[in-house]
Amino acid sequence: MVNAVLELFFYFWFGFVVGLSGTLIPGPLLAFVVSDATRKGWKSGLLAAVGHNMVESVIVLIIMVGLAAVMESVVFQRTVGLIGGICLLIFGTLNIKAAVRGELSVEDSVISHYGSILGGIVFTIFNPTVPLWWATVGLLMLMDSLAMTLLGGVFWVLGHYCSDISWYSFVSVSLSKGKRYVDVKLQKLIIAACGVFLFALGVVFLTKYTLIVG
């Protein structure tokens, strides 16, 4: 029983850290939250994250339905493992590159024509990196966690969602109080650490799924 609880705890924080590695990098949704929070206050980030997670929930359901039919295939596992592992190396490298070069700024220029939840949905749907991430890294992580236990996959997804909610809520709360949301040096350090983590995961998964034999 204790081992099962610890395993679920591991998958939750695993999902949280992996999710955080993507959430911290400035993009369309963060720009929207920055703009929206200055007009609507601290709830903006939370509501935008809810909209973001609604879109991701649809993607996750599609993935899980598809995985149920093909997860036992060695060819499928090896293909997803190799592609996902390579993408982990790429995303990890991009995180490290962004931290080193200091590419962390975001312009407060997105006008909040949308409600906060709708904005979270719109700026997720029209962000091309979201489906790319879920078709590669997300697919690999879900496949690996679901291979252990269904609850493991569920807790991994919950951890991922919580990273989005925590970060965007933090941003909107900070901005509503008239403060910049995080010290740039600290943000660089966290992103660099996430990048190293993703790169290491890429190596682990590439090694693991390259060694699968039929």
Side-chain angles (χ1 to χ4, degrees):
M1 179 64 179
V2 174
N3 288 339
V5 173
L6 289 176
E7 187 176 75
L8 294 179
F9 183 79
F10 166 78
Y11 280 118
F12 178 86
W13 285 107
F14 189 39
F16 187 92
V17 174
V18 170
L20 192 64
S21 66
T23 303
L24 281 168
I25 299 294
L29 182 55
L30 179 59
F32 169 76
V33 171
V34 168
S35 176
D36 199 50
T38 58
R39 295 168 174 79
K40 301 177 183 176
W42 68 270
K43 292 182 180 180
S44 173
L46 171 62
L47 296 175
V50 169
H52 174 71
N53 290 157
M54 287 170 64
V55 177
E56 291 194 314
S57 294
V58 174
I59 297 174
V60 169
L61 285 174
I62 293 172
I63 290 175
M64 292 183 74
V65 170
L67 281 178
V70 297
M71 261 186 62
E72 298 302 320
S73 167
V74 171
V75 174
F76 177 79
Q77 291 181 33
R78 180 177 291 164
T79 301
V80 173
L82 292 178
I83 295 175
I86 291 170
C87 287
L88 277 168
L89 296 180
I90 294 172
F91 283 121
T93 302
L94 290 176
N95 276 36
I96 296 171
K97 179 181 175 182
V100 171
R101 292 190 175 184
E103 299 167 351
L104 307 176
S105 61
V106 59
E107 298 296 329
D108 302 359
S109 59
V110 178
I111 305 300
S112 299
H113 294 302
Y114 309 94
S116 299
I117 292 180
L118 181 58
I121 293 173
V122 169
F123 285 98
T124 299
I125 291 176
F126 292 101
N127 183 352
T129 63
V130 173
L132 173 63
W133 191 92
W134 277 104
T136 54
V137 175
L139 178 59
L140 170 62
M141 297 294 183
L142 266 181
M143 182 182 73
D144 199 67
S145 59
L146 287 170
M148 300 298 293
T149 169
L150 176 60
L151 274 179
V154 171
F155 271 72
W156 182 85
V157 172
L158 289 176
H160 179 90
Y161 289 176
C162 285
S163 69
D164 295 327
I165 293 171
S166 299
W167 173 243
Y168 291 123
S169 294
F170 177 63
V171 169
S172 61
V173 169
S174 298
L175 288 173
S176 69
K177 296 182 180 295
K179 300 177 181 178
R180 195 62 182 170
Y181 46 88
V182 71
D183 177 75
V184 173
K185 290 183 178 180
L186 176 60
Q187 189 180 10
K188 285 183 179 180
L189 179 62
I190 296 173
I191 291 177
C194 287
V196 172
F197 176 71
L198 289 184
F199 194 91
L201 277 182
V203 173
V204 169
F205 281 117
L206 280 175
T207 302
K208 175 179 179 179
Y209 286 98
T210 299
L211 295 176
I212 290 179
V213 293

mmCIF file of all heavy atoms in Angstrom, residues 30 37 55 80 106 113 116 129 170-171 188 205:
data_model
loop_
_atom_site.group_PDB
_atom_site.id
_atom_site.type_symbol
_atom_site.label_atom_id
_atom_site.label_comp_id
_atom_site.label_asym_id
_atom_site.label_seq_id
_atom_site.Cartn_x
_atom_site.Cartn_y
_atom_site.Cartn_z
ATOM 1 N N LEU A 30 1.401 32.853 -22.027
ATOM 2 C CA LEU A 30 1.965 33.690 -20.969
ATOM 3 C C LEU A 30 1.773 35.171 -21.292
ATOM 4 O O LEU A 30 1.442 35.970 -20.407
ATOM 5 C CB LEU A 30 3.455 33.386 -20.775
ATOM 6 C CG LEU A 30 4.164 34.216 -19.698
ATOM 7 C CD1 LEU A 30 3.506 34.026 -18.336
ATOM 8 C CD2 LEU A 30 5.643 33.855 -19.621
ATOM 9 N N ALA A 37 -4.050 39.830 -16.789
ATOM 10 C CA ALA A 37 -3.970 40.013 -15.335
ATOM 11 C C ALA A 37 -3.886 41.487 -14.953
ATOM 12 O O ALA A 37 -4.389 41.893 -13.895
ATOM 13 C CB ALA A 37 -2.774 39.257 -14.772
ATOM 14 N N VAL A 55 -8.221 22.144 -23.174
ATOM 15 C CA VAL A 55 -7.742 21.717 -24.492
ATOM 16 C C VAL A 55 -6.845 20.495 -24.354
ATOM 17 O O VAL A 55 -6.967 19.514 -25.107
ATOM 18 C CB VAL A 55 -6.971 22.856 -25.188
ATOM 19 C CG1 VAL A 55 -6.410 22.373 -26.529
ATOM 20 C CG2 VAL A 55 -7.871 24.064 -25.401
ATOM 21 N N VAL A 80 7.688 5.318 -30.592
ATOM 22 C CA VAL A 80 7.355 6.435 -29.704
ATOM 23 C C VAL A 80 8.522 6.753 -28.779
ATOM 24 O O VAL A 80 8.837 7.922 -28.524
ATOM 25 C CB VAL A 80 6.093 6.106 -28.876
ATOM 26 C CG1 VAL A 80 5.857 7.187 -27.825
ATOM 27 C CG2 VAL A 80 4.886 5.994 -29.784
ATOM 28 N N VAL A 106 8.840 38.754 -22.025
ATOM 29 C CA VAL A 106 7.555 38.633 -22.723
ATOM 30 C C VAL A 106 6.935 40.022 -22.790
ATOM 31 O O VAL A 106 6.947 40.777 -21.825
ATOM 32 C CB VAL A 106 6.609 37.650 -21.995
ATOM 33 C CG1 VAL A 106 6.343 38.094 -20.570
ATOM 34 C CG2 VAL A 106 5.296 37.503 -22.742
ATOM 35 N N HIS A 113 -8.958 40.590 -25.588
ATOM 36 C CA HIS A 113 -10.273 40.615 -26.220
ATOM 37 C C HIS A 113 -11.113 39.425 -25.762
ATOM 38 O O HIS A 113 -12.313 39.393 -26.003
ATOM 39 C CB HIS A 113 -10.133 40.564 -27.749
ATOM 40 C CG HIS A 113 -9.493 41.783 -28.336
ATOM 41 N ND1 HIS A 113 -9.998 43.051 -28.166
ATOM 42 C CD2 HIS A 113 -8.376 41.928 -29.085
ATOM 43 C CE1 HIS A 113 -9.236 43.921 -28.797
ATOM 44 N NE2 HIS A 113 -8.242 43.270 -29.359
ATOM 45 N N SER A 116 -10.983 35.154 -19.761
ATOM 46 C CA SER A 116 -9.756 34.486 -19.323
ATOM 47 C C SER A 116 -9.723 33.011 -19.720
ATOM 48 O O SER A 116 -8.712 32.514 -20.225
ATOM 49 C CB SER A 116 -9.596 34.639 -17.811
ATOM 50 O OG SER A 116 -9.506 36.004 -17.450
ATOM 51 N N THR A 129 3.265 24.560 -30.812
ATOM 52 C CA THR A 129 4.136 23.701 -30.007
ATOM 53 C C THR A 129 3.336 22.765 -29.096
ATOM 54 O O THR A 129 3.855 21.734 -28.666
ATOM 55 C CB THR A 129 5.083 24.547 -29.132
ATOM 56 O OG1 THR A 129 4.310 25.329 -28.199
ATOM 57 C CG2 THR A 129 5.920 25.484 -29.985
ATOM 58 N N PHE A 170 0.518 32.169 -10.247
ATOM 59 C CA PHE A 170 1.584 32.951 -9.614
ATOM 60 C C PHE A 170 1.856 34.229 -10.391
ATOM 61 O O PHE A 170 2.025 35.312 -9.810
ATOM 62 C CB PHE A 170 2.859 32.104 -9.523
ATOM 63 C CG PHE A 170 4.039 32.835 -8.945
ATOM 64 C CD1 PHE A 170 3.995 33.309 -7.643
ATOM 65 C CD2 PHE A 170 5.173 33.051 -9.695
ATOM 66 C CE1 PHE A 170 5.081 33.993 -7.091
ATOM 67 C CE2 PHE A 170 6.261 33.734 -9.165
ATOM 68 C CZ PHE A 170 6.212 34.203 -7.858
ATOM 69 N N VAL A 171 1.886 34.098 -11.724
ATOM 70 C CA VAL A 171 2.116 35.270 -12.573
ATOM 71 C C VAL A 171 1.015 36.314 -12.370
ATOM 72 O O VAL A 171 1.286 37.495 -12.155
ATOM 73 C CB VAL A 171 2.176 34.860 -14.062
ATOM 74 C CG1 VAL A 171 2.148 36.095 -14.968
ATOM 75 C CG2 VAL A 171 3.422 34.043 -14.342
ATOM 76 N N LYS A 188 16.011 31.952 -14.908
ATOM 77 C CA LYS A 188 17.047 31.323 -15.722
ATOM 78 C C LYS A 188 17.529 30.025 -15.082
ATOM 79 O O LYS A 188 17.712 29.013 -15.768
ATOM 80 C CB LYS A 188 18.235 32.272 -15.896
ATOM 81 C CG LYS A 188 18.012 33.419 -16.856
ATOM 82 C CD LYS A 188 19.290 34.224 -16.994
ATOM 83 C CE LYS A 188 19.126 35.376 -17.967
ATOM 84 N NZ LYS A 188 20.384 36.155 -18.102
ATOM 85 N N PHE A 205 15.193 7.509 -21.834
ATOM 86 C CA PHE A 205 14.175 6.888 -22.671
ATOM 87 C C PHE A 205 14.746 6.336 -23.975
ATOM 88 O O PHE A 205 14.319 5.281 -24.446
ATOM 89 C CB PHE A 205 13.043 7.874 -22.964
ATOM 90 C CG PHE A 205 12.071 8.023 -21.834
ATOM 91 C CD1 PHE A 205 11.895 9.232 -21.178
ATOM 92 C CD2 PHE A 205 11.319 6.936 -21.414
ATOM 93 C CE1 PHE A 205 11.000 9.364 -20.132
ATOM 94 C CE2 PHE A 205 10.408 7.055 -20.366
ATOM 95 C CZ PHE A 205 10.253 8.268 -19.719
#
